[in-house]
Amino acid sequence: MITSKVDESLALQAKELVMQANDIVITAHVSPDGDAVGSTLAMCHYLKSLGKKATVVLPTAFPAFFKWMPGARDVIIFKDRRREAITALNQADLIIAQDYNEVKRLGEEGMPNVVRATKCKKVMIDHHLNPELFADVTISYPLMSSTCELLYRVLQIWNGGQLVQKDVAECIYTGMMTDTGSFSYNSNDPDIYYIVADLIKAGIDKDEIHRNVFNNYTADRYKMMGYALTKMEIIPEYGASIITMSRAELNKFNYRKGDTEGFVNMPLSIKGVCFSAFLKEEDNLIKVSLRSQGEFPCNIVASENFNGGGHLNASGGEAHGEQLEDVAQRLRDALPRYKEYFDRELAKLTD
Ligand code: 5GP
Ligand code: MN
């Protein structure tokens, strides 16, 4: 049995808003990952089973290896189908915000202003620290490994503990799997495995979901990974690693959205590395992805240097108006400020 970690009255307040609404739009953060796509589609299927009109609107496209998810082809991408997305948001009588804690995480294509201007009720279901209190009901549990895990717990309250439908279960499993690196970090809560057991009972094929997400890459992506590893810079005195990829380097490998997913995790497999940074040149910004091991707070590095945030061990941010190499140098120069944290992690190393 999973423990009741979600405040029941809060979950029921959210359910009340759902029951009062007929036309519901579900949103998640820019550059949606498995948890963002999985949790919004899971909610969408659940709401449709209640007879509601439900639409997922995401700020930008998601990687092709999530297209197999039930309902993925019906998602409206704000950046690509702006008019339809704005109409859906303006017509909604409830907007559900999942897997993001601040409206500005809806990206730079204008979606934050559209959402802010809507008058309808809002519900947030999220697992990031420091939620912005813009919703009427905020269900925020930063200790949970994924929004999908949190959503499963909320749905258990909403539906009186019954098993969820298979399409809901498939989407929830995807987010739980991707946000824990296939249950290799943030995954010590025994409840996670009770939930997985329930999802299997609901009919999912967890091995197939793993294959759909992780065995669906192009050969170019693997060649790019090899190239990225040859470029990897290790700074042993801090146990830090930095990888940069310029637009020209990405183009050389026919970069497609999602191709660099997971690159930032690779250096953490090296003994003595507790902090990894991956810097990628995008259209008009440098995207910074950070990962760490143990107690090293990479979210502090993200917020203090890259106007970002996230979780203790997985965070990110952005740099605008700077060259890729200048951002990398800024990060190298910043490392001494976190010496105390690095030393604490390095002290844990055994021979
Ligand atoms: P990723 O490196 O996979 O893009 O992001 C990892 C985590 O870092 C995300 O789940 C999110 O919590 C956080 N994150 C990434 N980019 C940003 C950003 O630009 N701003 C904030 N506040 N958090 C971010
Ligand atoms: Mn998440």
Side-chain angles (χ1 to χ4, degrees):
M1 260 280 285
I2 65 166
T3 52
S4 52
K5 292 203 173 103
V6 171
D7 180 333
E8 196 168 315
S9 72
L10 199 60
L12 292 175
Q13 281 173 43
K15 185 177 185 187
E16 187 66 30
L17 293 182
V18 163
M19 296 320 282
Q20 286 165 7
N22 290 308
D23 185 340
I24 303 173
V25 169
I26 313 136
T27 58
H29 61 78
V30 66
S31 297
D33 58 8
D35 196 29
V37 183
S39 66
T40 51
L41 285 175
M43 178 63 97
C44 186
H45 295 308
Y46 180 79
L47 295 174
K48 284 183 172 166
S49 78
L50 299 180
K52 306 289 179 188
K53 176 167 183 252
T55 313
V56 175
V57 177
L58 299 176
T60 55
F62 51 84
F65 47 80
F66 294 130
K67 286 200 177 138
W68 61 270
M69 265 194 261
R73 286 173 203 278
D74 301 325
V75 171
I76 299 177
I77 303 296
F78 188 95
K79 187 177 179 190
D80 305 337
R81 289 159 67 192
R82 199 183 165 84
R83 282 221 333 252
E84 268 174 274
I86 292 175
T87 303
L89 286 162
N90 285 336
Q91 279 176 356
D93 45 24
L94 178 69
I95 294 177
I96 305 184
Q98 290 183 186
D99 205 34
Y100 65 101
N101 58 345
E102 297 175 289
V103 178
K104 72 169 197 204
R105 290 283 289 142
L106 291 172
E108 293 175 356
E109 304 294 332
M111 191 163 158
N113 287 341
V114 175
V115 168
R116 275 193 200 288
T118 56
K119 300 272 186 297
C120 68
K121 297 278 186 198
K122 295 180 187 68
V123 167
M124 179 197 278
I125 301 177
D126 179 51
H127 72 137
H128 293 90
L129 291 166
N130 309 322
E132 176 188 344
L133 297 174
F134 66 91
D136 299 273
V137 176
T138 301
I139 303 180
S140 166
Y141 284 86
L143 290 179
M144 289 197 192
S145 66
S146 59
T147 297
C148 279
E149 176 196 332
L150 171 58
L151 177 60
Y152 186 81
R153 295 172 185 275
V154 169
L155 294 184
Q156 286 295 97
I157 296 170
W158 287 6
N159 70 13
Q162 286 175 48
L163 282 184
V164 292
Q165 309 140 222
K166 186 178 173 195
D167 49 7
V168 175
E170 287 176 328
C171 298
I172 286 183
Y173 185 77
T174 304
M176 291 180 69
M177 176 185 78
T178 54
D179 258 27
T180 57
S182 303
F183 307 99
S184 65
Y185 47 79
N186 277 342
S187 52
N188 279 323
D189 181 347
D191 279 3
I192 289 175
Y193 305 95
Y194 287 112
I195 295 173
V196 170
D198 275 356
L199 299 175
I200 294 171
K201 282 187 215 155
I204 69 160
D205 180 338
K206 65 178 264 306
D207 303 347
E208 185 182 17
I209 293 175
H210 190 277
R211 282 196 299 278
N212 284 341
V213 174
F214 293 112
N215 295 2
N216 235 334
Y217 291 116
T218 60
D220 277 333
R221 188 256 184 182
Y222 269 86
K223 291 178 185 173
M224 189 188 331
M225 184 194 281
Y227 174 77
L229 287 172
T230 60
K231 287 194 70 186
M232 174 177 63
E233 173 188 353
I234 302 284
I235 307 165
E237 60 271 36
Y238 293 106
S241 164
I242 302 175
I243 301 177
T244 63
M245 288 289 267
S246 69
R247 194 71 238 179
E249 289 171 314
L250 294 166
N251 288 344
K252 215 164 87 183
F253 295 97
N254 301 314
Y255 171 77
R256 290 193 319 190
K257 194 169 257 304
D259 277 351
T260 56
E261 202 80 22
F263 285 14
V264 66
N265 293 303
M266 294 188 297
L268 292 180
S269 325
I270 300 165
K271 186 168 186 178
V273 173
C274 64
F275 171 76
S276 166
F278 181 72
L279 279 53
K280 181 170 69 174
E281 186 179 9
E282 295 192 350
D283 289 343
N284 42 24
L285 58 95
I286 308 297
K287 181 71 209 169
V288 179
S289 280
L290 305 177
R291 297 290 185 274
S292 66
Q293 216 107 259
E295 263 78 54
F296 187 95
C298 69
N299 52 348
I300 295 182
V301 181
S303 65
E304 290 184 350
N305 300 279
F306 305 112
N307 192 30
H311 314 280
L312 186 78
N313 295 133
S315 63
E318 296 171 355
H320 295 258
E322 277 181 279
Q323 296 298 311
L324 179 62
E325 186 41 47
D326 296 338
V327 181
Q329 192 53 44
R330 202 151 60 70
L331 175 58
R332 283 180 207 108
D333 294 343
L335 294 180
R337 297 215 307 268
Y338 307 101
K339 187 170 178 348
E340 202 184 312
Y341 295 117
F342 281 119
D343 286 347
R344 201 178 307 160
E345 289 310 309
L346 292 175
K348 291 181 190 168
L349 279 177
T350 49
D351 286 339

